[in-house]
Each structure stands twice: as structure tokens, then as C-alpha cells.
């Protein structure tokens, strides 16, 4: 068997066995930070939202009416946690990457919520939970680093479909579980989770040279979508959703 057929067989096997692109559509295993109520429970919302699961407390609408009336509230964006990640058997570099991604996601969310002016609510991000009405709490529950070397080799090799196969086997992935709670009482009023891989690009320079670049793509998209979600009215606004495909290589 020549080298090219061998490479094609390996690539196809990697695609079949990989959990790369499947992770973009399949929920991550429950980590325990949010309750993950069954689909027949009241308050489950998924349509029109970019996240894989969203729940809101249907009994909380009376309190929400007060926020709607004044169209503003104070939000504390808690530091992104990593305690639900299973990193004990992983190399030190991955633990450092997870901490870096957690900081990056926190900073992006706070910045995007502050600058967003097109929602139904004006949200003031405060630095102290005691000054907030609500708190946004998020845990990073899964992190996977892609393989720049294998991704680059796949694109250099002129075999149709091989790059896609390698990308599926070695793509980056992140998953989060989050909730919004009353800052004072801790009562959870909504929760969500999502698992995401980077955008699919014809040629992804980020994946060729960096393991962190694609992960920052994901945190950037989440920051945009979460900021849209916390400034929007569920009954009339459409939450912004980032496209999953682009022809741009950067």
C-alpha cells in the first residue's frame, strides 16, 4: 500500500473514531455545576438561543417585571472556575492553558456586557458581588487542545478530505456550565451549558501555529452571545449567535 492510501485510511479512521466535530453538537457529560433539568420540565428553552441548553425559572417572572420596568440592573461577573475540570492526570501545560482560558473568558464577557448598547437592558457590571443584583457564574467543564502539527500536515498533504478528517480528530474543544443567580440570596433564576469547537475555516492559520488561538475563538463567540443574552428580553429579543463557518483564514 502506498503512503497516500495509508494516510487516507488513517485519516478516515480518525474521523470515524474521533469525538471532534461530534462534540460540537453533543452535550458534554454533566459536571455537576448546574442541575440539568429534564426536557419535560417547565422553563426549558433552547429554540432561538445559541447554547445547547437553557433553563429559566418560570416562577420568577414577577421579580423580572421590576427589572423590565426600569430596563437596567447591576451584574457581577464571577471569575470563571476550573474546579470541575479533571486535570489531575494531565500535563502541567494543560492546567496552565485552562487557567489562561478562564481568565480570558471572564475578561471578554465583562468587557462585552459593558460595551453592549443594543439590548433591551442596560447592564452595569460591578466588581463586588455585594453591589450587584444578579451574579453570572460560569465553570469551565472541558478543555481539549488541538494538534497544530497534525493539522498542518493534513493541509500540506493534497488528499481530498484528509484535512477535514485530521481536523475532526484533533480539533480544540471547550465546554461550560453557567447560571444567573440573585447576588444576595443565591437563588438560581436561569442556567445553561454549551460545548463548542472553533469555527470551520477553509484554511485555519490559528490551528496551524497555535493551540490557544482556536480556544480564544470560542471564548470570543461565547462572550458575544452571553453579553447578548444578559441584555436581552426573552419575550421579544433575539439573542445574537455567532456563525459556525467562515471563509476568512483569520
Amino acid at each position: 500500500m502506498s503512503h497516500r492510501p495509508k494516510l487516507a485510511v488513517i485519516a478516515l479512521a480518525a474521523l470515524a473514531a474521533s469525538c471532534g466535530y461530534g462534540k460540537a453538537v453533543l452535550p458534554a457529560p454533566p459536571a455537576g455545576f448546574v442541575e440539568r433539568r429534564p426536557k419535560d420540565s417547565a422553563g426549558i428553552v433552547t429554540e432561538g438561543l445559541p447554547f445547547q441548553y437553557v433553563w429559566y425559572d418560570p416562577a420568577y417572572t414577577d421579580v423580572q417585571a421590576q427589572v423590565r420596568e426600569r430596563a437596567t440592573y447591576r451584574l457581577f461577573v464571577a471569575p470563571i472556575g476550573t474546579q470541575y475540570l479533571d486535570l489531575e492526570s494531565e500535563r502541567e501545560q494543560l492546567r496552565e492553558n485552562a487557567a489562561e482560558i478562564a481568565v480570558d473568558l471572564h475578561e471578554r464577557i465583562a468587557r462585552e456586557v459593558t460595551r453592549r448598547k443594543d439590548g433591551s437592558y442596560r447592564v452595569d457590571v460591578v466588581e463586588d458581588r455585594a453591589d450587584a443584583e444578579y451574579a453570572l457564574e460560569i465553570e469551565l467543564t472541558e478543555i481539549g487542545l488541538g494538534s497544530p502539527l497534525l493539522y498542518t500536515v493534513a493541509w500540506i498533504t493534497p488528499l481530498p478530505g484528509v484535512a477535514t478528517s485530521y481536523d475532526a480528530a484533533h480539533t480544540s474543544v471547550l465546554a461550560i456550565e453557567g447560571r444567573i443567580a440573585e447576588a444576595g440570596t443565591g437563588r438560581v433564576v436561569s442556567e445553561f451549558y454549551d460545548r463548542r469547537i472553533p469555527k470551520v475555516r477553509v484554511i485555519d492559520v490559528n490551528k496551524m501555529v497555535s493551540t490557544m488561538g482556536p480556544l480564544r475563538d470560542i471564548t470570543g463567540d461565547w462572550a458575544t452571545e452571553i453579553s447578548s443574552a444578559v441584555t436581552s428580553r426573552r419575550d421579544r429579543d433575539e439573542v445574537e449567535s455567532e456563525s459556525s463557518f467562515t471563509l476568512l483564514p483569520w
Side-chain angles (χ1 to χ4, degrees), residues 215-248:
L215 296 181
R216 290 194 180 94
D217 276 354
I218 300 173
T219 60
D221 289 349
W222 270 336
T224 297
E225 294 162 353
I226 290 171
S227 67
S228 177
V230 300
T231 59
S232 298
R233 276 185 56 165
R234 182 177 52 81
D235 61 336
R236 72 181 187 189
D237 294 336
E238 182 177 348
V239 175
E240 184 173 348
S241 178
E242 290 296 304
S243 171
S244 61
F245 184 83
T246 177
L247 292 175
L248 298 176

Side-chain angles (χ1 to χ4, degrees), residues 116-142:
R116 185 169 288 275
K117 306 298 181 184
D118 56 353
S120 289
Y121 300 121
R122 188 187 80 248
V123 179
D124 296 322
V125 176
V126 297
E127 296 184 1
D128 192 330
R129 189 186 184 104
D131 296 329
E133 296 170 274
Y134 296 95
L136 173 64
E137 305 165 343
I138 296 175
E139 286 286 336
L140 187 62
T141 60
E142 182 180 11

Side-chain angles (χ1 to χ4, degrees), residues 3-56:
H3 291 299
R4 287 194 175 185
K6 284 182 179 179
L7 185 56
V9 170
I10 293 172
L12 290 174
L15 177 60
S18 76
C19 52
Y21 289 130
K23 288 182 177 179
V25 294
L26 295 177
F33 184 65
V34 299
E35 188 172 333
R36 293 202 181 197
R37 294 161 175 83
K39 290 187 178 294
D40 58 354
S41 299
I44 294 290
V45 177
T46 53
E47 293 183 359
L49 293 173
F51 314 115
Q52 291 174 325
Y53 162 91
V54 175
W55 173 86
Y56 68 93

Side-chain angles (χ1 to χ4, degrees), residues 157-189:
T157 306
L159 286 175
V162 169
T164 302
S165 300
Y166 269 115
D167 199 23
H170 301 284
T171 190
S172 307
V173 62
L174 288 176
I176 53 174
E177 293 186 3
R179 62 195 182 200
I180 295 179
E182 288 183 323
T185 67
R187 174 183 176 178
V188 176
V189 299

Side-chain angles (χ1 to χ4, degrees), residues 13-170:
L15 177 60
S18 76
C19 52
Y21 289 130
K23 288 182 177 179
V25 294
L26 295 177
F33 184 65
V34 299
E35 188 172 333
R36 293 202 181 197
R37 294 161 175 83
K39 290 187 178 294
D40 58 354
S41 299
I44 294 290
V45 177
T46 53
E47 293 183 359
L49 293 173
F51 314 115
Q52 291 174 325
Y53 162 91
V54 175
W55 173 86
Y56 68 93
D57 185 350
Y60 202 70
T61 53
D62 291 341
V63 180
Q64 288 176 326
Q66 300 174 15
V67 176
R68 289 180 180 179
E69 184 176 353
R70 67 177 190 265
T72 182
Y73 66 92
R74 300 182 303 279
L75 179 71
F76 172 68
V77 181
I80 310 300
T82 59
Q83 62 179 336
Y84 287 86
L85 289 173
D86 182 15
L87 298 175
E88 291 301 320
S89 60
E90 300 293 344
R91 61 187 186 276
E92 179 64 27
Q93 183 61 48
L94 185 58
R95 290 193 286 271
E96 293 176 1
N97 292 149
E100 184 177 339
I101 286 299
V103 171
D104 181 62
L105 180 57
H106 176 265
E107 292 178 347
R108 285 175 183 251
I109 291 174
R111 184 168 59 247
E112 288 299 318
V113 173
T114 299
R115 69 171 52 162
R116 185 169 288 275
K117 306 298 181 184
D118 56 353
S120 289
Y121 300 121
R122 188 187 80 248
V123 179
D124 296 322
V125 176
V126 297
E127 296 184 1
D128 192 330
R129 189 186 184 104
D131 296 329
E133 296 170 274
Y134 296 95
L136 173 64
E137 305 165 343
I138 296 175
E139 286 286 336
L140 187 62
T141 60
E142 182 180 11
I143 180 171
L145 302 179
S147 174
L149 177 60
L150 290 177
Y151 182 86
T152 305
V153 170
W155 272 111
I156 293 174
T157 306
L159 286 175
V162 169
T164 302
S165 300
Y166 269 115
D167 199 23
H170 301 284

